[in-house]
């Protein structure tokens, strides 16, 4: 996944969200005249089943958030390893730290012998001035991604997540339970994933209009986040200022 692919990846995934919300909208319209029926059958879609379908959107949106963050982080490490152009000492301080963490496995429990093995590999890499190869950043996730976690990940990599005032207002605005859209998506997803809330209760009192507004808020926020990561990569801000082609971004 490179910078050029980030936006197309996101748009393809969000089309799935949009299509699902459209389905829910049509289902809600049909329910105004009584329980909707499946075409050419007598089967009725109950209010309980509608709620289950509504709740599934929280899972779909959270999957989109986590996948987007993962792809953005991956795009940075691919840029750092592109064509063997860059050496570890050329990476900015934040990304160099992540590279060391990955190569030396500093945060992995292991025996002293294995820890020495990876320390020697790191030493050889630096002594021989080998180029940066593909490496992984432990992005975490596991149900923790919201706007604050995304901002923290950007800071960890030296990528400033700069969001417009309007998008920030929407993301921070209370949607339900004193939570903004991304925090609500995370909260409901975790409740469903851990079984602390049922699919029926999750969508209690929720209308499709609210779900569409939530999806639109997540979309606008993630689009701006992607733009920040793309600028970071294309300006070579993953490198030290003195190593950036043409001086990089100001």
């Amino acid at each position: 996944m490179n910078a050029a692919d980030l936006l197309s990846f996101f748009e393809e995934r969000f089309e799935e969200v949009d299509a699902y919300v459209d389905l829910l909208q049509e289902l809600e319209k049909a329910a105004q005249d009584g329980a909707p029926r499946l075409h050419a059958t007598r089967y009725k879609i109950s209010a309980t089943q509608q709620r289950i379908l509504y709740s599934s959107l929280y899972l779909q949106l959270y999957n989109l958030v986590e996948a987007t963050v993962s792809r953005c982080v991956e795009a940075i490490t691919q840029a750092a390893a592109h064509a063997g152009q860059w050496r570890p000492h050329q990476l900015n301080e934040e990304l160099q730290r992540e590279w060391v963490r990955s190569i030396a496995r500093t945060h992995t429990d292991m025996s002293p012998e294995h820890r020495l093995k990876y320390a020697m590999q790191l030493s050889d890499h630096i002594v021989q001035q080998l180029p940066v190869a593909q490496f992984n950043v432990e992005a975490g996730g596991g149900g923790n991604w919201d706007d604050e976690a995304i901002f923290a990940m950007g800071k960890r990599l030296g990528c400033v997540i700069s969001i417009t005032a309007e998008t920030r207002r929407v993301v921070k605005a209370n949607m339900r339970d004193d939570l903004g859209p991304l925090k609500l998506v995370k909260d409901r997803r975790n409740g469903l994933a851990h079984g602390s809330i049922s699919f029926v209760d999750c969508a209690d009192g929720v209308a499709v209009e609210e779900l569409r507004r939530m999806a639109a808020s997540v979309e606008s926020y993630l689009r701006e986040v992607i733009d920040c990561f793309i600028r970071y990569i294309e300006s070579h801000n993953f490198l030290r200022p003195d190593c950036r082609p043409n001086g990089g971004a100001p």
Side-chain angles (χ1 to χ4, degrees), residues 123-201:
S123 175
D124 287 345
H125 201 119
I126 294 173
V127 169
Q128 296 180 45
Q129 285 291 293
L130 299 176
V132 174
Q134 186 64 43
F135 65 99
N136 295 318
V137 170
E138 291 293 334
N144 295 319
W145 291 113
D146 57 24
D147 50 298
E148 291 184 1
I150 292 171
F151 181 86
M153 173 53 75
K155 183 176 181 180
R156 178 177 152 187
L157 299 174
C159 176
V160 177
I161 305 298
S162 179
I163 304 301
T164 61
E166 176 59 21
T167 297
R168 184 179 296 107
R169 183 190 66 77
V170 171
V171 167
K172 295 297 185 183
N174 175 24
M175 179 156 273
R176 269 182 185 266
D177 303 332
D178 295 323
L179 299 173
L182 270 91
K183 288 187 179 296
L184 180 62
V185 166
K186 181 187 76 171
D187 180 75
R188 293 294 170 94
R189 177 268 179 193
N190 288 343
L192 292 169
H194 300 147
S196 59
I197 186 172
S198 71
F199 278 77
V200 175
D201 290 340

Coordinates of all heavy atoms in Angstrom, one line a residue, residues 123-201:
S123 N 23.0 -4.2 15.0 CA 24.3 -3.7 15.0 C 24.9 -3.9 13.6 O 25.5 -3.0 13.0 CB 25.2 -4.4 16.0 OG 26.5 -4.0 15.9
D124 N 24.8 -5.1 13.0 CA 25.3 -5.3 11.7 C 24.7 -4.4 10.6 O 25.4 -3.9 9.8 CB 25.0 -6.8 11.3 CG 25.9 -7.8 12.0 OD1 26.9 -7.3 12.6 OD2 25.6 -9.0 12.0
H125 N 23.4 -4.2 10.8 CA 22.7 -3.3 9.8 C 23.3 -1.9 9.8 O 23.5 -1.3 8.8 CB 21.2 -3.3 10.2 CG 20.3 -2.9 9.0 ND1 19.3 -3.7 8.5 CD2 20.3 -1.7 8.3 CE1 18.7 -3.0 7.5 NE2 19.3 -1.9 7.4
I126 N 23.5 -1.4 11.0 CA 24.0 -0.1 11.2 C 25.5 0.0 10.8 O 25.9 1.0 10.0 CB 23.8 0.4 12.6 CG1 22.3 0.5 13.0 CG2 24.5 1.8 12.9 CD1 22.0 0.8 14.4
V127 N 26.3 -0.9 11.2 CA 27.7 -0.9 10.8 C 27.9 -1.0 9.3 O 28.8 -0.3 8.8 CB 28.5 -2.0 11.6 CG1 29.9 -2.2 11.0 CG2 28.5 -1.8 13.1
Q128 N 27.1 -1.8 8.7 CA 27.3 -2.0 7.2 C 26.5 -0.9 6.4 O 26.6 -1.0 5.2 CB 26.8 -3.4 6.8 CG 27.6 -4.5 7.4 CD 27.1 -5.9 7.0 OE1 26.8 -6.1 5.8 NE2 27.0 -6.8 8.0
Q129 N 25.8 -0.1 7.1 CA 25.1 1.0 6.5 C 24.1 0.4 5.4 O 24.0 0.9 4.3 CB 26.0 2.0 5.8 CG 26.7 3.0 6.8 CD 25.6 3.9 7.5 OE1 25.1 4.8 6.8 NE2 25.4 3.7 8.7
L130 N 23.4 -0.6 5.8 CA 22.4 -1.2 4.9 C 21.2 -0.4 4.8 O 20.8 0.4 5.7 CB 22.0 -2.6 5.4 CG 23.2 -3.6 5.5 CD1 22.6 -4.9 6.2 CD2 23.8 -3.9 4.2
P131 N 20.5 -0.4 3.6 CA 19.3 0.4 3.5 C 18.2 -0.1 4.3 O 18.2 -1.3 4.7 CB 19.0 0.3 2.0 CG 19.6 -1.0 1.6 CD 20.9 -1.2 2.4
V132 N 17.2 0.7 4.6 CA 16.0 0.3 5.3 C 15.2 -0.6 4.5 O 14.9 -0.3 3.3 CB 15.2 1.6 5.7 CG1 13.8 1.1 6.3 CG2 15.9 2.5 6.6
A133 N 14.9 -1.8 5.0 CA 14.0 -2.7 4.3 C 12.6 -2.6 5.0 O 12.4 -1.9 6.0 CB 14.6 -4.1 4.4
Q134 N 11.7 -3.3 4.4 CA 10.3 -3.3 4.9 C 10.3 -3.7 6.4 O 10.9 -4.7 6.7 CB 9.4 -4.2 4.1 CG 7.9 -4.1 4.5 CD 7.3 -2.8 4.2 OE1 7.6 -2.2 3.1 NE2 6.5 -2.2 5.1
F135 N 9.6 -2.9 7.2 CA 9.5 -3.2 8.6 C 8.1 -2.9 9.1 O 7.3 -2.3 8.4 CB 10.5 -2.5 9.4 CG 10.3 -1.0 9.4 CD1 9.7 -0.3 10.5 CD2 10.8 -0.2 8.4 CE1 9.6 1.1 10.5 CE2 10.7 1.2 8.4 CZ 10.0 1.8 9.4
N136 N 7.7 -3.4 10.2 CA 6.4 -3.2 10.7 C 6.4 -2.3 11.9 O 7.2 -2.3 12.8 CB 5.8 -4.6 11.2 CG 5.6 -5.5 10.0 OD1 5.2 -5.1 8.9 ND2 6.0 -6.8 10.2
V137 N 5.3 -1.4 11.9 CA 5.0 -0.6 13.1 C 3.9 -1.2 13.9 O 2.8 -1.5 13.3 CB 4.7 0.8 12.7 CG1 4.1 1.6 13.9 CG2 5.9 1.5 12.1
E138 N 4.1 -1.5 15.1 CA 3.0 -2.1 15.9 C 1.9 -1.0 16.1 O 2.0 -0.2 17.0 CB 3.6 -2.5 17.3 CG 4.5 -3.7 17.2 CD 3.8 -5.0 16.8 OE1 2.6 -5.1 17.0 OE2 4.4 -5.9 16.2
A139 N 0.9 -1.1 15.3 CA -0.1 -0.1 15.3 C -1.2 -0.4 16.4 O -2.0 0.5 16.7 CB -0.8 0.0 13.9
G140 N -1.2 -1.6 16.9 CA -2.2 -1.9 17.9 C -3.5 -2.1 17.3 O -3.7 -2.7 16.3
G141 N -4.5 -1.4 17.8 CA -5.9 -1.6 17.3 C -6.7 -2.4 18.4 O -6.8 -1.9 19.5
G142 N -7.2 -3.5 17.9 CA -8.0 -4.3 18.9 C -9.1 -3.6 19.5 O -9.4 -3.8 20.7
G143 N -9.8 -2.7 18.8 CA -10.9 -2.0 19.4 C -10.6 -0.7 20.0 O -11.5 -0.1 20.7
N144 N -9.4 -0.2 19.8 CA -9.0 1.1 20.4 C -9.0 2.3 19.5 O -8.7 3.4 20.0 CB -7.6 0.9 21.0 CG -7.6 -0.1 22.1 OD1 -8.5 -0.2 23.0 ND2 -6.6 -1.0 22.1
W145 N -9.4 2.2 18.3 CA -9.2 3.3 17.4 C -10.4 4.3 17.4 O -11.5 3.9 17.2 CB -9.0 2.8 15.9 CG -7.7 2.1 15.7 CD1 -7.5 0.8 15.4 CD2 -6.4 2.7 15.8 NE1 -6.2 0.6 15.3 CE2 -5.5 1.7 15.5 CE3 -5.9 4.0 16.1 CZ2 -4.1 1.9 15.5 CZ3 -4.6 4.2 16.1 CH2 -3.7 3.2 15.8
D146 N -10.0 5.5 17.8 CA -10.9 6.7 17.6 C -10.1 7.9 17.2 O -8.9 7.7 16.9 CB -11.7 6.9 18.9 CG -10.8 7.1 20.1 OD1 -9.7 7.6 20.0 OD2 -11.3 6.9 21.3
D147 N -10.7 9.1 17.2 CA -9.9 10.2 16.8 C -8.7 10.5 17.6 O -7.7 10.9 17.1 CB -10.9 11.5 16.7 CG -11.7 11.7 17.9 OD1 -12.5 10.8 18.3 OD2 -11.5 12.8 18.6
E148 N -8.8 10.3 18.9 CA -7.7 10.6 19.8 C -6.5 9.6 19.6 O -5.4 9.9 19.6 CB -8.1 10.6 21.3 CG -9.0 11.7 21.7 CD -9.4 11.7 23.1 OE1 -8.9 10.8 23.9 OE2 -10.1 12.6 23.6
A149 N -6.9 8.3 19.4 CA -5.9 7.3 19.1 C -5.2 7.5 17.8 O -4.0 7.3 17.7 CB -6.5 5.9 19.2
I150 N -6.0 8.0 16.8 CA -5.4 8.2 15.5 C -4.4 9.4 15.6 O -3.3 9.4 15.0 CB -6.5 8.5 14.5 CG1 -7.3 7.2 14.2 CG2 -5.9 9.0 13.1 CD1 -8.5 7.4 13.4
F151 N -4.8 10.5 16.3 CA -3.9 11.6 16.5 C -2.6 11.2 17.2 O -1.5 11.6 16.8 CB -4.6 12.7 17.4 CG -3.8 13.9 17.6 CD1 -3.8 14.9 16.7 CD2 -3.0 14.0 18.7 CE1 -3.0 16.1 16.9 CE2 -2.3 15.2 19.0 CZ -2.2 16.2 18.0
A152 N -2.8 10.3 18.2 CA -1.6 9.8 18.9 C -0.7 9.0 18.0 O 0.6 9.1 18.1 CB -2.0 9.0 20.1
M153 N -1.2 8.2 17.1 CA -0.4 7.4 16.2 C 0.3 8.3 15.3 O 1.5 8.1 15.0 CB -1.3 6.4 15.4 CG -0.5 5.7 14.3 SD 1.0 4.8 14.9 CE 0.3 3.4 15.8
G154 N -0.3 9.4 14.8 CA 0.3 10.3 13.9 C 1.5 11.0 14.6 O 2.6 11.1 14.1
K155 N 1.3 11.4 15.8 CA 2.4 12.0 16.6 C 3.5 11.1 16.8 O 4.7 11.4 16.8 CB 1.8 12.5 18.0 CG 2.8 13.2 18.8 CD 2.1 13.7 20.1 CE 3.1 14.5 21.0 NZ 2.5 15.0 22.2
R156 N 3.2 9.8 17.1 CA 4.2 8.8 17.3 C 5.1 8.6 16.1 O 6.3 8.3 16.2 CB 3.5 7.5 17.6 CG 4.4 6.3 17.9 CD 3.6 5.1 18.3 NE 4.2 3.8 17.9 CZ 3.7 2.6 18.0 NH1 2.4 2.5 18.4 NH2 4.3 1.6 17.6
L157 N 4.6 8.8 14.9 CA 5.3 8.7 13.7 C 5.9 10.0 13.1 O 6.5 10.0 12.1 CB 4.5 8.0 12.6 CG 3.9 6.6 12.9 CD1 3.0 6.2 11.9 CD2 5.1 5.6 13.1
G158 N 5.6 11.1 13.8 CA 6.1 12.4 13.4 C 5.2 13.0 12.3 O 5.6 13.9 11.6
C159 N 4.0 12.5 12.2 CA 3.0 12.9 11.2 C 1.9 13.7 11.9 O 1.2 13.2 12.7 CB 2.4 11.8 10.4 SG 1.1 12.3 9.2
V160 N 1.9 15.0 11.6 CA 0.9 15.9 12.3 C -0.5 15.7 11.7 O -0.7 15.8 10.4 CB 1.3 17.4 12.1 CG1 0.2 18.3 12.8 CG2 2.6 17.6 12.8
I161 N -1.5 15.3 12.5 CA -2.8 15.1 12.0 C -3.5 16.4 12.2 O -3.9 16.8 13.3 CB -3.6 14.0 12.8 CG1 -2.8 12.7 12.7 CG2 -5.0 13.8 12.3 CD1 -2.6 12.1 11.4
S162 N -3.7 17.2 11.1 CA -4.3 18.5 11.2 C -5.7 18.5 10.5 O -5.8 18.2 9.3 CB -3.4 19.5 10.4 OG -3.9 20.8 10.4
I163 N -6.7 18.7 11.3 CA -8.1 18.6 10.9 C -8.7 19.9 10.9 O -8.5 20.8 11.7 CB -8.9 17.6 11.9 CG1 -8.2 16.3 12.0 CG2 -10.3 17.5 11.4 CD1 -8.0 15.5 10.7
T164 N -9.5 20.2 9.9 CA -10.2 21.5 9.8 C -11.1 21.7 11.0 O -11.6 20.7 11.6 CB -11.0 21.6 8.5 OG1 -12.1 20.6 8.5 CG2 -10.2 21.4 7.2
A165 N -11.4 23.0 11.2 CA -12.2 23.3 12.4 C -13.6 22.7 12.3 O -14.2 22.2 13.3 CB -12.3 24.8 12.5
E166 N -14.2 22.7 11.1 CA -15.6 22.1 10.9 C -15.6 20.6 11.2 O -16.5 20.1 11.8 CB -16.1 22.4 9.5 CG -17.4 21.8 9.2 CD -18.5 22.3 10.1 OE1 -18.4 23.3 10.8 OE2 -19.6 21.6 10.2
T167 N -14.6 19.9 10.6 CA -14.6 18.5 10.8 C -14.3 18.1 12.3 O -14.9 17.2 12.8 CB -13.5 17.8 9.9 OG1 -13.8 18.1 8.5 CG2 -13.3 16.4 10.2
R168 N -13.4 18.9 12.9 CA -13.2 18.7 14.3 C -14.4 18.9 15.2 O -14.7 18.1 16.1 CB -12.1 19.6 14.8 CG -11.7 19.4 16.3 CD -10.6 20.3 16.8 NE -9.3 20.0 16.0 CZ -8.8 20.9 15.1 NH1 -9.5 22.0 14.8 NH2 -7.7 20.6 14.5
R169 N -15.2 19.9 14.8 CA -16.4 20.2 15.5 C -17.4 19.0 15.4 O -18.0 18.6 16.4 CB -17.1 21.5 15.0 CG -18.4 21.9 15.7 CD -19.1 23.0 14.9 NE -19.6 22.5 13.7 CZ -20.7 21.8 13.5 NH1 -21.4 21.4 14.6 NH2 -21.1 21.4 12.3
V170 N -17.5 18.5 14.2 CA -18.5 17.4 14.0 C -18.0 16.1 14.7 O -18.8 15.4 15.3 CB -18.6 17.1 12.4 CG1 -19.4 15.8 12.2 CG2 -19.3 18.3 11.7
V171 N -16.7 15.9 14.7 CA -16.2 14.7 15.3 C -16.3 14.7 16.8 O -16.5 13.7 17.5 CB -14.7 14.4 14.9 CG1 -14.0 13.4 15.8 CG2 -14.6 14.0 13.4
K172 N -16.2 15.9 17.4 CA -16.3 16.1 18.8 C -17.7 16.3 19.3 O -18.0 16.2 20.5 CB -15.4 17.3 19.3 CG -14.0 17.1 19.0 CD -13.4 15.9 19.8 CE -11.9 15.8 19.7 NZ -11.3 14.7 20.4
A173 N -18.7 16.5 18.4 CA -20.1 16.8 18.8 C -20.7 15.5 19.4 O -20.5 14.4 18.9 CB -20.8 17.3 17.6
N174 N -21.5 15.7 20.4 CA -22.2 14.6 21.1 C -23.2 14.0 20.1 O -24.1 14.7 19.6 CB -22.8 15.1 22.3 CG -23.7 14.0 23.0 OD1 -23.4 12.8 22.8 ND2 -24.7 14.4 23.8
M175 N -23.1 12.7 19.8 CA -24.0 12.0 19.0 C -25.0 11.2 19.8 O -26.2 11.2 19.7 CB -23.3 11.2 17.9 CG -24.3 10.4 17.0 SD -23.5 10.0 15.4 CE -23.9 11.4 14.5
R176 N -24.4 10.4 20.7 CA -25.1 9.6 21.7 C -24.2 9.3 22.9 O -23.0 9.2 22.7 CB -25.5 8.2 21.1 CG -26.9 8.3 20.5 CD -27.3 6.9 19.9 NE -28.6 7.1 19.3 CZ -29.8 6.9 19.8 NH1 -29.9 6.5 21.1 NH2 -30.9 7.0 19.1
D177 N -24.8 9.2 24.1 CA -24.0 8.8 25.3 C -22.8 9.7 25.5 O -21.8 9.2 26.0 CB -23.6 7.3 25.2 CG -24.7 6.4 24.9 OD1 -25.8 6.6 25.3 OD2 -24.5 5.3 24.3
D178 N -23.0 11.0 25.2 CA -21.9 12.0 25.3 C -20.6 11.6 24.5 O -19.5 11.9 24.9 CB -21.5 12.1 26.8 CG -22.7 12.7 27.6 OD1 -23.4 13.6 27.1 OD2 -22.9 12.3 28.8
L179 N -20.8 10.9 23.4 CA -19.7 10.5 22.6 C -19.9 11.1 21.2 O -21.0 11.1 20.6 CB -19.7 8.9 22.5 CG -19.5 8.2 23.8 CD1 -19.6 6.7 23.5 CD2 -18.1 8.5 24.4
G180 N -18.7 11.5 20.6 CA -18.7 11.9 19.2 C -18.8 10.7 18.3 O -18.7 9.5 18.8
P181 N -18.9 10.9 17.0 CA -19.1 9.8 16.1 C -18.1 8.6 16.1 O -18.4 7.5 16.2 CB -19.1 10.4 14.7 CG -19.5 11.8 15.0 CD -19.0 12.2 16.3
L182 N -16.8 9.0 16.1 CA -15.8 7.9 16.1 C -15.7 7.2 17.5 O -15.5 6.0 17.5 CB -14.4 8.5 15.8 CG -14.1 8.5 14.3 CD1 -14.5 9.8 13.6 CD2 -12.6 8.2 14.0
K183 N -15.9 7.9 18.5 CA -15.9 7.3 19.8 C -17.1 6.4 20.0 O -17.1 5.3 20.6 CB -15.8 8.3 21.0 CG -14.5 9.0 21.1 CD -14.4 9.9 22.3 CE -13.0 10.5 22.4 NZ -11.9 9.5 22.7
L184 N -18.2 6.9 19.4 CA -19.5 6.1 19.5 C -19.3 4.8 18.7 O -19.7 3.7 19.1 CB -20.6 6.9 19.0 CG -22.0 6.2 19.0 CD1 -22.4 5.8 20.4 CD2 -23.1 7.0 18.3
V185 N -18.7 4.9 17.5 CA -18.5 3.7 16.7 C -17.6 2.7 17.4 O -17.9 1.5 17.5 CB -17.8 4.1 15.3 CG1 -17.3 2.9 14.6 CG2 -18.8 4.8 14.4
K186 N -16.5 3.2 18.1 CA -15.6 2.3 18.8 C -16.4 1.7 20.0 O -16.2 0.5 20.2 CB -14.4 3.2 19.3 CG -13.4 2.3 20.1 CD -12.3 3.2 20.8 CE -12.9 3.9 22.0 NZ -11.8 4.6 22.8
D187 N -17.1 2.5 20.7 CA -17.8 2.0 21.9 C -18.8 0.9 21.5 O -18.9 -0.1 22.2 CB -18.5 3.2 22.6 CG -19.3 2.8 23.8 OD1 -18.6 2.5 24.9 OD2 -20.5 2.7 23.8
R188 N -19.7 1.2 20.5 CA -20.7 0.2 20.1 C -20.0 -1.0 19.5 O -20.5 -2.1 19.8 CB -21.7 0.9 19.1 CG -22.5 2.0 19.7 CD -23.5 1.4 20.8 NE -24.1 2.5 21.5 CZ -25.3 3.0 21.2 NH1 -26.0 2.5 20.1 NH2 -25.9 3.9 22.0
R189 N -19.0 -0.9 18.8 CA -18.3 -2.0 18.2 C -17.8 -2.9 19.3 O -17.9 -4.1 19.3 CB -17.2 -1.6 17.3 CG -16.3 -2.7 16.7 CD -15.1 -3.0 17.6 NE -14.3 -4.1 17.0 CZ -13.4 -4.8 17.7 NH1 -13.1 -4.4 18.9 NH2 -12.7 -5.8 17.1
N190 N -17.1 -2.3 20.3 CA -16.6 -3.1 21.4 C -17.7 -3.8 22.2 O -17.5 -4.9 22.6 CB -15.7 -2.2 22.3 CG -14.4 -1.8 21.6 OD1 -14.0 -2.4 20.7 ND2 -13.7 -0.8 22.2
G191 N -18.8 -3.0 22.4 CA -19.9 -3.7 23.1 C -20.4 -4.9 22.4 O -20.7 -5.9 23.0
L192 N -20.5 -4.8 21.1 CA -21.0 -5.9 20.3 C -20.0 -7.1 20.3 O -20.3 -8.2 20.4 CB -21.3 -5.5 18.9 CG -22.5 -4.5 18.7 CD1 -22.5 -4.0 17.3 CD2 -23.8 -5.3 19.0
A193 N -18.7 -6.7 20.1 CA -17.6 -7.7 20.0 C -17.5 -8.5 21.3 O -17.2 -9.7 21.3 CB -16.3 -7.0 19.6
H194 N -17.6 -7.8 22.4 CA -17.4 -8.4 23.7 C -18.7 -9.0 24.3 O -18.6 -9.5 25.4 CB -16.7 -7.4 24.7 CG -15.4 -6.9 24.2 ND1 -14.9 -5.7 24.4 CD2 -14.5 -7.5 23.4 CE1 -13.8 -5.5 23.8 NE2 -13.5 -6.6 23.2
G195 N -19.8 -8.7 23.7 CA -21.1 -9.3 24.1 C -21.7 -8.5 25.3 O -22.7 -9.0 25.9
S196 N -21.2 -7.3 25.5 CA -21.8 -6.5 26.6 C -23.1 -5.8 26.2 O -23.8 -5.3 27.1 CB -20.8 -5.5 27.2 OG -20.4 -4.6 26.1
I197 N -23.4 -5.8 24.9 CA -24.6 -5.3 24.4 C -25.1 -6.1 23.3 O -24.3 -6.6 22.5 CB -24.5 -3.8 24.0 CG1 -25.8 -3.2 23.6 CG2 -23.5 -3.7 22.8 CD1 -25.7 -1.7 23.3
S198 N -26.4 -6.4 23.2 CA -26.9 -7.2 22.1 C -27.1 -6.3 20.8 O -27.2 -5.1 20.9 CB -28.3 -7.8 22.5 OG -29.3 -6.8 22.5
F199 N -27.2 -7.0 19.7 CA -27.4 -6.3 18.4 C -28.7 -5.5 18.5 O -28.9 -4.5 17.9 CB -27.3 -7.2 17.3 CG -25.9 -7.6 16.8 CD1 -25.1 -8.4 17.5 CD2 -25.4 -7.0 15.7 CE1 -23.9 -8.7 17.1 CE2 -24.1 -7.2 15.2 CZ -23.3 -8.1 15.9
V200 N -29.7 -6.1 19.1 CA -31.0 -5.5 19.2 C -31.0 -4.2 20.1 O -31.4 -3.2 19.7 CB -32.1 -6.5 19.8 CG1 -33.4 -5.8 20.0 CG2 -32.3 -7.7 18.8
D201 N -30.4 -4.3 21.2 CA -30.3 -3.2 22.1 C -29.4 -2.1 21.6 O -29.6 -0.9 21.8 CB -29.8 -3.6 23.5 CG -30.8 -4.4 24.3 OD1 -32.0 -4.4 23.9 OD2 -30.4 -5.2 25.2

